[in-house]
Amino acid sequence: MSAQHWDEKSFCEDYCTTWEISHDEVHYGWLAPGESQLRLIDLELTNANVLDIGCGMGENLIALARRGANCHGIDISGHMLSRARENMKRFEEEISTIHFQQQDMRQTDFFPGTSFDLILSAYSMEYLSSTQELKDLFYNLFKRLKPGGILIFCFSHQLQHFRHNMLANTSSKTGSDQFSTMIYSFRDVV
């Protein structure tokens, strides 16, 4: 998995100023409608254990904590987690503590002993290096879900990337070294 310069404070600061994300509802990416329209979270959130993989600045976790969820987030970037903790402070009077941990998503030993009602990942799994890493991650995340739990993930659509061969149903890397992401085929995701 490429670090994508997430270990550099200036890179993270630039990323953080790219767009503003709501703390009122769960988002599924800059081109997708939010939870209020998609209604993908079909469970009672009060006291639900929630995990956000690649939580970034914590916006989704704050939105979920505001609905009563017990929130946990991991991110590979300590800089992004610092921003998430700062964001959380603005809501500390209305939400419970959100638990953050700096960790690579491929290492699924985060928050030991906790199983989750909801696992969410918005635009993070595309930073894995291969479809095998994606399969391994899915396998390990499903082991962490409670019975009846929900896994919601989203990543870039093939047609967003002009360099991707849209006719071949294969996964591939795209972009330069700095912004190299996986574009998964429909076949690999299914």
Side-chain angles (χ1 to χ4, degrees):
M1 182 164 78
S2 172
Q4 300 295 315
H5 303 279
W6 295 115
D7 57 340
E8 295 176 15
K9 186 174 183 177
S10 62
F11 178 83
C12 292
E13 292 298 321
D14 287 345
Y15 176 86
C16 291
T17 60
T18 304
W19 58 81
E20 187 173 326
I21 300 171
S22 172
H23 295 98
D24 296 325
E25 81 167 319
V26 174
H27 68 90
Y28 298 112
W30 52 88
L31 297 175
E35 177 60 23
S36 63
Q37 287 183 286
L38 293 177
R39 298 181 185 170
L40 300 176
I41 302 174
D42 186 21
L43 58 92
E44 173 57 44
L45 285 169
T46 303
N47 296 318
N49 285 334
V50 174
L51 172 66
D52 188 354
I53 304 287
C55 65
M57 296 179 286
E59 298 95 337
N60 278 343
L61 290 172
I62 291 168
L64 291 162
R66 293 176 82 188
R67 294 184 54 197
N70 301 316
C71 294
H72 304 75
I74 66 163
D75 202 286
I76 198 167
S77 171
H79 301 296
M80 297 302 284
L81 291 174
S82 291
R83 276 297 191 94
R85 288 181 182 101
E86 287 174 28
N87 284 337
M88 183 181 72
K89 286 179 186 176
R90 296 188 355 223
F91 299 92
E92 64 188 354
E93 291 186 19
E94 67 177 285
I95 65 173
S96 298
T97 300
I98 298 172
H99 307 280
F100 294 108
Q101 187 170 317
Q102 183 176 356
Q103 188 159 352
D104 185 319
M105 72 180 91
R106 295 173 297 178
Q107 308 302 315
T108 55
D109 59 347
F110 37 75
F111 306 110
T114 304
S115 56
F116 299 97
D117 299 284
L118 171 66
I119 298 176
L120 172 68
S121 181
Y123 288 87
S124 295
M125 292 181 186
E126 59 192 27
Y127 289 103
L128 295 169
S129 298
S130 68
T131 56
Q132 187 59 52
E133 285 187 355
L134 178 68
K135 291 172 186 178
D136 293 344
L137 180 61
F138 280 161
Y139 175 78
N140 288 311
L141 292 179
F142 277 107
K143 291 192 310 188
R144 300 293 302 273
L145 277 175
K146 291 181 181 179
I150 299 171
L151 169 64
I152 299 173
F153 60 95
C154 52
F155 36 71
S156 298
H157 189 280
Q158 290 182 350
L159 300 180
Q160 286 181 293
H161 297 272
F162 64 89
R163 285 180 236 139
H164 184 71
N165 180 347
M166 292 175 270
L167 299 176
N169 191 15
T170 57
S171 296
S172 65
K173 294 295 274 181
T174 186
S176 66
D177 178 53
Q178 184 174 357
F179 294 103
S180 181
T181 58
M182 281 296 298
I183 303 302
Y184 300 107
S185 72
F186 298 115
R187 175 179 36 220
D188 285 334
V189 172
V190 170

